[in-house]
């Protein structure tokens, strides 16, 4: 056991030492708790350092892989484009369909690489929190979708006056991906319906994107 002692000397009227008066307290558990806290702090510092190193390695890996993938991807796109331009007349409908699929897949892969690089750049910087006009941001994103596909018949509903705090870069990336999914999976509807809104649950604001697209079984 560990004890903490506190003693006070007692003197007589002439100033001569007479005795010690003191008390002791068992601090074994207190010392053990302090030691556990010190151990946890050391582990936390070590773990934080490991996570920082892993994040740095992951970022470098993503950047390297994304760039290395571009060379063969450009070759696929270039040669498939050349075949389409120079030899399309020698292919039957099935062959032209296969070639179009190759080109579509290479374009999709290029978009995925761009998304990886964008995410890699964004996550290198710490979040910068500020007030965001989510309604205005959503309207801006949907205007870009409309401009890219003006023939689509899409009814878009955006709740007014939605503001919250967050990192504008990351929030915009989230909304772009959610809206892109809604835009894509409602493409076969004669009239697409997409809604971005907010509701309150247990005192917290919950934002949602709702559409009348293909959807999926909620079990999965």
């Amino acid at each position: 056991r560990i004890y903490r002692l506190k003693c006070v000397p007692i003197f007589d009227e002439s100033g001569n030492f007479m005795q010690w008066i003191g008390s002791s307290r068992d601090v074994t558990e207190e010392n053990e708790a302090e030691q556990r806290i010190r151990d946890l702090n050391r582990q936390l510092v070590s773990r934080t350092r490991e996570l920082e190193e892993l994040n740095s390695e992951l970022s470098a890996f993503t950047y390297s892989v994304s760039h290395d993938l571009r060379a063969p991807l450009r070759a696929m796109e270039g040669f498939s484009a050349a075949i389409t331009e120079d030899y399309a007349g020698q292919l039957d409908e099935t062959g032209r369909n296969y070639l179009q699929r190759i080109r579509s897949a290479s374009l999709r892969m290029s978009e995925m690489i761009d998304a990886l690089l964008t995410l890699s750049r964004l996550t290198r910087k710490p979040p910068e929190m500020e007030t965001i006009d989510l309604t205005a941001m959503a309207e801006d994103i949907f205007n870009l979708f409309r401009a890219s596909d003006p023939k689509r018949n899409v009814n878009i509903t955006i709740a007014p006056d939605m503001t919250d705090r967050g990192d504008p870069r990351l929030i915009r990336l989230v909304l772009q991906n959610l809206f892109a999914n809604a835009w894509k999976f409602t493409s076969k509807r004669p009239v697409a319906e997409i809604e971005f809104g907010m509701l309150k649950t247990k005192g917290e604001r919950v934002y949602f994107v709702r559409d009348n697209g293909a959807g999926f079984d909620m079990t999965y």
Side-chain angles (χ1 to χ4, degrees):
R1 309 296 293 183
I2 301 174
Y3 294 90
R4 184 168 294 165
L5 303 177
K6 186 175 182 180
C7 299
V8 178
I10 303 299
F11 301 91
D12 62 18
E13 294 179 355
S14 300
N16 298 315
F17 172 76
M18 295 177 58
Q19 62 181 341
W20 290 94
I21 294 179
S23 63
S24 65
R25 183 165 62 90
D26 188 339
V27 294
T28 304
E29 293 183 0
E30 183 180 324
N31 272 33
E32 291 175 350
E34 290 175 353
Q35 185 59 47
R36 285 196 295 271
I37 292 172
R38 285 192 291 270
D39 291 341
L40 287 172
N41 283 335
R42 281 195 293 270
Q43 293 174 18
L44 180 61
V45 170
S46 176
R47 185 59 178 157
T48 301
R49 190 178 299 114
E50 290 176 4
L51 288 173
E52 289 174 348
E53 292 173 356
L54 286 172
N55 282 333
S56 177
E57 291 173 3
L58 180 60
S59 177
F61 174 78
T62 302
Y63 193 78
S64 176
V65 168
S66 298
H67 276 78
D68 291 344
L69 288 173
R70 286 193 181 280
L73 190 61
R74 281 194 294 267
M76 289 171 56
E77 171 59 21
F79 282 117
S80 61
I83 293 172
T84 300
E85 293 171 5
D86 300 335
Y87 300 96
Q90 300 178 36
L91 299 173
D92 59 13
E93 185 176 350
T94 301
R96 289 192 295 271
N97 179 262
Y98 288 162
L99 188 58
Q100 182 56 42
R101 289 189 182 188
I102 292 173
R103 297 195 67 186
S104 296
S106 63
L107 289 172
R108 175 59 181 154
M109 189 173 180
S110 180
E111 291 172 358
M112 292 170 67
I113 290 173
D114 289 339
L116 278 173
L117 289 173
T118 299
L119 185 61
S120 177
R121 284 193 296 268
L122 288 173
T123 53
R124 284 197 207 108
K125 295 179 62 178
E128 298 177 0
M129 305 296 287
E130 61 182 72
T131 300
I132 306 170
D133 187 336
L134 294 171
T135 297
M137 182 178 285
E139 290 172 348
D140 182 56
I141 295 171
F142 275 121
N143 285 337
L144 294 175
F145 284 127
R146 286 190 184 280
S148 67
D149 194 357
K151 295 181 179 180
R152 284 281 307 274
N153 189 359
V154 184
N155 292 330
I156 296 172
T157 303
I158 302 173
D161 304 321
M162 289 188 295
T163 60
D164 214 323
R165 288 187 60 76
D167 185 310
R169 302 166 303 141
L170 297 177
I171 296 299
R172 187 178 185 89
L173 187 62
V174 170
L175 293 183
Q176 282 177 335
N177 280 280
L178 290 173
F179 297 164
N181 281 342
W183 191 267
K184 176 180 178 180
F185 291 106
T186 56
S187 61
K188 296 183 179 180
R189 299 290 185 184
V191 180
E193 302 282 347
I194 301 176
E195 180 184 3
F196 176 45
M198 185 269 290
L199 52 86
K200 287 192 175 181
T201 302
K202 297 180 180 179
E204 294 187 349
R205 284 171 288 189
V206 178
Y207 299 94
F208 64 87
V209 179
R210 178 185 295 150
D211 63 71
N212 65 340
F216 53 87
D217 189 334
M218 293 302 290
T219 304
Y220 306 103

